[in-house]
């Protein structure tokens, strides 16, 4: 009788120990997920980050291993910002980069859900400079360098009349084209974008975005749930985009671009900014963000990871020193943008 009781106690003790071990094993991934630095190391190139040191320094940037498609290039960065992830998300949403001349973004305007040509009325405010002049010249000639479809190219009609840096006929052509593409994105995501076949190659923006993500498997898995709710590299998602357009400069050429921003807050703070159309300079660009709440010197702060990816025809022919130079230039541009954003938002604006 005593032996049987002892055996039952032993069996119960063993079962309890086994249960505790299983619970501990099940909690290990959760514990890792709750540790920002461990999660950062799991999907990014930043496997060793000292939070205290990072908080005292400028943005940290790093290039990623080369991707198999020579058109693709990617850079990652991380930094610590004051305040909560929610406040950083809101600051990103409201930030206007046009006041920073070094970023060479001349016009920036938000778009409604169903924009029309009138949504691009700011085109008449384009600055009179060499970059805009190059865009106007390419448009009037219907240059094969313009990243538009053949059907879109047929709609241009040159008109000599008009004042300002951008003639009325050029502004009207782009307003019609951009509004049409923006509506297509709102209803069908990047998959609905017409190809850039006026260039002689049937490049599709949706395919380029999908390719960028597929070649960075860890990042794709980290953001899969979020990206699946957007129109990035696919059809329209359940998350509504915050759309905008810009006139900027790329390699001394004026470029008109369409973009959309998405964000998801709560247990996980993630955001995406996609440039799904560009008239030249690059095919598409994508910036992803992940943010974690951290405490630095007793103050609420945010650890920010940023991943920038771009697809560009000009990158395909670069090798060796030239490609390294492009990577360095991209890292410098990102550092400029992050530094400007941090400077604008450091006072809580």
């Amino acid at each position: 009788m005593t032996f049987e009781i002892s055996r039952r106690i032993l069996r119960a003790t063993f079962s309890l120990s086994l249960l505790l071990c299983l619970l501990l094993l099940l909690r290990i991934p959760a514990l890792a997920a709750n540790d920002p630095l461990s999660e950062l190391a799991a999907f990014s190139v930043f496997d060793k980050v000292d939070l205290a040191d990072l908080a005292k320094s400028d943005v940290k940037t790093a290039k990623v291993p080369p991707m198999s498609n020579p058109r693709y290039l990617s850079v990652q960065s991380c930094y610590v910002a004051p305040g909560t992830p929610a406040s950083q998300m809101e600051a990103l949403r409201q930030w206007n980069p046009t006041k920073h001349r070094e970023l060479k973004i001349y016009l920036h305007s938000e778009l409604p859900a169903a924009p029309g040509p009138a949504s691009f009325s700011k085109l008449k405010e384009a600055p009179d400079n060499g970059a805009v002049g190059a865009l106007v010249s390419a448009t009037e000639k219907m240059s094969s360098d313009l990243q538009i479809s053949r059907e879109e190219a047929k709609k241009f009609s040159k008109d000599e009349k008009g004042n300002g840096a951008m003639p009325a006929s050029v502004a009207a052509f782009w307003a019609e084209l951009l509004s049409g593409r923006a509506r297509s994105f709102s209803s069908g995501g990047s998959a609905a974008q017409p190809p850039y076949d006026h260039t002689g190659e049937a490049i599709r923006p949706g395919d380029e975005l999908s390719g960028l993500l597929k070649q960075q498997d860890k990042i794709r898995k980290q953001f899969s749930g979020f990206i699946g709710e957007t129109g990035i590299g696919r059809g329209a998602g359940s998350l509504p985009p915050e759309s905008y357009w810009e006139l900027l400069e790329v390699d001394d050429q004026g470029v008109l671009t369409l973009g959309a921003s998405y964000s998801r807050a709560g247990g996980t703070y993630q955001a995406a900014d996609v440039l799904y159309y560009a008239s030249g300079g690059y095919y598409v660009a994508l910036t992803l963000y992940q943010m974690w709440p951290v405490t630095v010197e007793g103050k609420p702060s945010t650890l920010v990871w940023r991943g920038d990816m771009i697809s560009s025809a000009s990158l395909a022919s670069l090798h060796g020193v030239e490609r390294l130079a492009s990577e360095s230039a991209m890292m410098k541009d990102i550092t400029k943008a992050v530094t400007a954003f941090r400077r604008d938002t450091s006072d809580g604006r």
Side-chain angles (χ1 to χ4, degrees):
M1 187 70 174
T2 304
F3 173 74
E4 182 63 25
I5 293 173
S6 298
R7 197 166 65 167
R8 288 181 182 177
I9 293 173
L10 181 62
R11 187 183 297 125
T13 303
F14 175 77
S15 298
L16 181 60
S17 299
L18 181 61
L19 180 60
L20 289 172
C21 287
L22 288 172
L23 289 173
L24 181 60
L25 287 172
L26 288 172
R27 271 188 59 81
I28 286 175
L31 289 171
N34 290 331
D35 176 14
L37 295 181
S38 296
E39 188 174 3
L40 176 66
F43 76 89
S44 77
V45 296
F46 301 108
D47 55 349
K48 294 180 181 179
V49 172
D50 185 294
L51 191 62
D53 288 344
L54 185 62
K56 298 175 183 176
S57 64
D58 295 328
V59 57
K60 185 175 183 179
T61 60
K63 56 187 178 182
V64 303
M67 291 181 274
S68 60
N69 191 322
R71 292 198 300 268
Y72 298 167
L73 189 62
S74 181
V75 169
Q76 296 182 25
S77 54
C78 66
Y79 59 94
V80 173
T84 64
S87 66
Q88 286 296 306
M89 288 279 201
E90 182 62 19
L92 270 176
R93 192 179 69 81
Q94 295 187 357
W95 189 54
N96 186 343
T98 56
K99 64 181 180 180
H100 297 278
R101 297 182 62 184
E102 69 274 18
L103 301 181
K104 297 182 178 180
I105 299 175
Y106 302 124
L107 297 175
H108 173 98
S109 185
E110 306 300 318
L111 288 173
S119 302
F120 300 87
S121 59
K122 278 190 175 182
L123 284 170
K124 62 185 179 183
E125 301 174 15
D128 188 1
N129 59 29
V132 173
L135 174 62
V136 169
S137 177
T139 304
E140 291 178 333
K141 297 174 183 176
M142 275 292 107
S143 167
S144 60
D145 292 332
L146 291 175
Q147 293 174 174
I148 58 179
S149 71
R150 290 178 183 141
E151 291 302 312
E152 288 167 333
K154 293 176 183 178
K155 298 177 181 179
F156 178 69
S157 178
K158 186 176 180 179
D159 183 355
E160 299 295 341
K161 298 178 182 179
N163 299 317
M166 187 173 290
S169 58
V170 175
F173 169 76
W174 284 113
E176 188 69 35
L177 184 151
L178 293 171
S179 61
R181 282 185 174 263
R183 290 193 300 271
S184 294
F185 183 85
S186 293
S187 61
S190 61
Q193 288 296 295
Y196 298 153
D197 54 9
H198 177 68
T199 63
E201 294 186 55
I203 298 293
R204 293 187 174 275
D207 292 343
E208 295 302 295
L209 289 166
S210 296
L212 285 168
L213 289 167
K214 285 178 181 177
Q215 295 205 17
Q216 300 190 83
D217 194 52
K218 289 183 178 180
I219 293 175
R220 181 180 59 81
K221 289 178 179 177
Q222 179 73 12
F223 286 84
S224 61
F226 172 52
I227 294 295
E229 298 177 2
T230 73
I232 299 172
R234 57 188 305 282
S238 58
L239 285 176
E242 295 188 26
S243 301
Y244 62 92
W245 70 273
E246 291 179 336
L247 169 62
L248 46 84
E249 181 178 330
V250 179
D251 296 331
D252 301 323
Q253 303 292 312
V255 172
L256 287 163
T257 190
L258 291 167
S261 298
Y262 298 89
S263 62
R264 180 171 68 177
T268 301
Y269 293 86
Q270 293 180 328
D273 191 85
V274 59
L275 297 176
Y276 61 86
Y277 173 73
S279 63
Y282 56 89
Y283 292 141
V284 294
L286 175 62
T287 302
L288 297 174
Y289 298 86
Q290 177 134 356
M291 305 180 189
W292 299 265
V294 294
T295 302
V296 177
E297 296 182 349
K299 298 178 181 179
S301 303
T302 300
L303 173 62
V304 182
W305 172 88
R306 169 175 167 159
D308 287 85
M309 313 165 205
I310 190 168
S311 170
S312 171
S314 62
L315 290 170
S317 60
L318 300 182
H319 304 281
V321 175
E322 289 182 331
R323 192 165 186 90
L324 289 173
S326 290
E327 291 175 345
S328 297
M330 185 174 177
M331 291 170 70
K332 288 179 181 178
D333 287 343
I334 291 167
T335 299
K336 285 180 185 178
V338 173
T339 300
F341 170 73
R342 294 177 74 187
R343 187 165 60 242
D344 288 351
T345 57
S346 61
D347 59 359
R349 284 179 294 171

